[in-house]
Amino acid sequence: MEKIRDTMLRHASEEDIYRTKFMSCETNILVKDLDTNTIHQGKLWKHPCENNFALRESWIEEFVKRRRLVVGMVVGMYWDFEACMFCFSVLDGRQ
């Protein structure tokens, strides 16, 4: 939660951060596919009883199916502070 607050929510109000910590929430985020130079919309979701965030089902359509990702592939993601979006790349496509 601290890393999310310090990166993705650094411009959010204290009220929004409090609400995020104790409520179920969902927010739209952008994810840039560095391999195809395309930008996709995803949904970041948090369960109220956990401090973990997850990408919702949109991840399956936007990345897993579109890029034909399978078990054994290695992907990387990082938060781009300037663009305020995740960046995604397939690092190892071997199956």
Side-chain angles (χ1 to χ4, degrees), residues 12-21 23:
S13 69
E14 287 299 318
E15 180 180 330
D16 287 341
I17 292 171
Y18 178 83
R19 208 171 31 241
T20 299
K21 189 170 184 174
M23 297 176 66

Side-chain angles (χ1 to χ4, degrees), residues 25-50:
C25 64
E26 184 174 282
T27 187
N28 291 325
I29 59 165
L30 297 177
V31 182
K32 182 174 184 173
D33 186 329
L34 298 174
D35 302 323
T36 62
N37 199 31
T38 55
I39 296 177
H40 305 268
Q41 189 149 356
K43 290 192 181 289
L44 194 66
W45 178 81
K46 180 191 169 297
H47 189 277
C49 298
E50 298 181 12

